[in-house]
Amino acid sequence: MTVQQAKSYGKSNLTLSPTPLLDTEVILQHITGFDKTHLLLNRDTELSEEQEQFFINAIEKRKTGFPVAYITGHKEFFGFDFYVTPDVLIPKPDTELLVELALDALEDKFRANQNAIPTICDMCSGSGCVGLSIAKKLQEAAHSFTLTCADISEKALSVAQKNASRLCASTDSMHFVQSNLFENIPHSFDLIATNPPYVPHEESIELLKDGRSEPLLALDGDVTETGEFSGTNDGLSLIRRLVPQCYEHLNRNGVLIMETGEYNAQETSELFKSAGFRTVRIEYDLNEMMRDVIGIK
């Protein structure tokens, strides 16, 4: 099977995918090591027997709805290549706004004190894409900092640690803590950036029916402290606990930035105010949808 034949095979088999050609090309790039241009210029290249078998198996998986990122084990986020598995959510482009807002907040702190060493927490870190993108940018700018990545899932933390080793020049200032929100985190921070589970329960269940295989734990916002269904369906059960905990774990003038999406950003902003945060505002993504809530202690 040549590259061109593989493209035709993938496109004709992925009839239920909204992006059959793109899916096929990403899988082929992963198999061959070619970028998109090289893939086009080398369309007559024969796949090895091993490559062809991997490709056919990958197409079969994709036909079930299994995400391409889980097939290849990679997903680009904020310009960086993250390792992903079904133990973590696949990083989404909309979440890049959370990183941008965090970097802006940190830049304000560096302008106020160029020798500042901010303490940062990526709560509900999953793959670590938020915290590690922040860390990578700070390292590139030669800024000192400490970063704590926290998640309830041990397997997710393992993925985050692997990404830290792959992406960052040094991990000496980074800590990875398995914790049910702030249960195992006694100290405070200058910045907390978090993308917690915030999808309403019923919609979380519905989303996973397409075979995407992302962890329900990372989507469903309607869970109790013990991880059971809260009985609500607004996606806010976890956030109602998280917001006041964040307030308690922020230093004076510390900043909380939370992705809540269009589901409940307005309600979350009210929770920020009730917890004591000031200058609370909602930020919109490129699609002009409510995406993040920001508050200062």
Side-chain angles (χ1 to χ4, degrees):
M1 180 185 290
T2 65
V3 166
Q4 186 59 41
Q5 288 170 334
K7 280 188 181 181
S8 297
Y9 178 91
K11 189 176 179 181
S12 62
N13 275 272
L14 298 180
T15 54
L16 296 180
S17 169
T19 54
L21 183 57
L22 177 62
D23 294 351
T24 302
E25 288 180 342
V26 171
I27 293 169
L28 282 171
Q29 287 175 50
H30 174 68
I31 293 170
T32 62
F34 296 157
D35 60 24
K36 192 168 185 177
T37 301
H38 280 80
L39 205 64
L40 181 63
L41 295 175
N42 292 275
R43 56 182 178 270
D44 294 327
T45 298
E46 288 277 350
L47 299 180
S48 69
E49 187 176 335
E50 184 179 4
Q51 288 174 327
E52 183 174 330
Q53 192 57 56
F54 183 97
F55 174 75
I56 291 171
N57 290 341
I59 295 299
E60 288 303 308
K61 287 181 182 178
R62 183 64 187 127
K63 282 166 65 175
T64 70
F66 198 63
V68 173
Y70 289 154
I71 293 170
T72 64
H74 295 270
K75 180 65 176 179
E76 183 180 334
F77 178 84
F78 214 73
F80 306 125
D81 177 36
F82 280 87
Y83 165 68
V84 293
T85 75
D87 295 312
V88 297
L89 282 184
I90 297 168
K92 308 295 191 293
D94 288 337
T95 302
E96 292 183 354
L97 176 61
L98 179 57
V99 177
E100 292 170 1
L101 294 170
L103 289 170
D104 288 345
L106 290 168
E107 191 56 41
D108 288 342
K109 292 187 180 294
F110 288 125
R111 275 197 292 266
N113 177 9
Q114 62 180 359
N115 296 315
I117 305 177
T119 50
I120 305 163
C121 178
D122 176 7
M123 174 55 66
C124 306
S125 63
S127 66
C129 65
V130 170
L132 296 177
S133 293
I134 295 168
K136 182 103 172 126
K137 285 295 185 181
L138 293 182
Q139 287 183 343
E140 290 176 354
H143 286 307
S144 297
F145 64 92
T146 63
L147 170 68
T148 298
C149 289
D151 201 286
I152 195 171
S153 167
E154 183 179 4
K155 290 180 177 179
L157 281 175
S158 178
V159 172
Q161 286 176 293
K162 183 169 182 176
N163 278 320
S165 298
R166 291 175 64 251
L167 296 170
C168 297
S170 169
T171 59
D172 292 345
S173 61
M174 301 177 192
H175 310 280
F176 298 85
V177 182
Q178 185 177 5
S179 181
N180 187 348
L181 302 185
F182 284 92
E183 184 178 54
N184 297 326
I185 302 175
H187 42 281
S188 297
F189 302 92
D190 297 312
L191 171 74
I192 298 172
T194 179
N195 180 15
Y198 59 76
V199 180
H201 176 73
E202 289 181 9
E203 189 157 346
S204 299
I205 301 296
E206 194 64 30
L207 281 172
L208 294 176
K209 287 181 179 178
D210 66 1
R212 67 180 63 189
S213 300
E214 292 186 286
L216 179 63
L217 181 68
L219 287 171
D220 190 352
D222 291 306
V223 291
T224 65
E225 278 186 58
T226 56
E228 299 162 349
F229 175 44
S230 63
T232 58
N233 191 45
D234 58 9
L236 285 167
S237 295
L238 185 141
I239 288 175
R240 288 190 184 98
R241 300 194 306 277
L242 178 56
V243 170
Q245 288 187 37
C246 285
Y247 188 87
E248 291 301 316
H249 284 82
L250 277 170
N251 298 324
R252 181 175 172 79
N253 296 319
V255 180
L256 170 61
I257 310 173
M258 181 180 294
E259 178 174 321
T260 62
E262 71 278 13
Y263 296 102
N264 44 39
Q266 195 66 55
E267 293 85 348
T268 299
S269 70
E270 295 303 319
L271 291 173
F272 270 47
K273 294 171 186 175
S274 297
F277 285 98
R278 55 190 170 86
T279 60
V280 175
R281 71 181 193 272
I282 297 172
E283 289 283 344
Y284 289 71
D285 60 27
L286 291 176
N287 295 315
E288 299 185 354
M289 303 291 286
M290 291 186 290
R291 181 60 50 188
D292 297 289
V293 182
I294 304 177
I296 300 173
K297 179 171 179 178

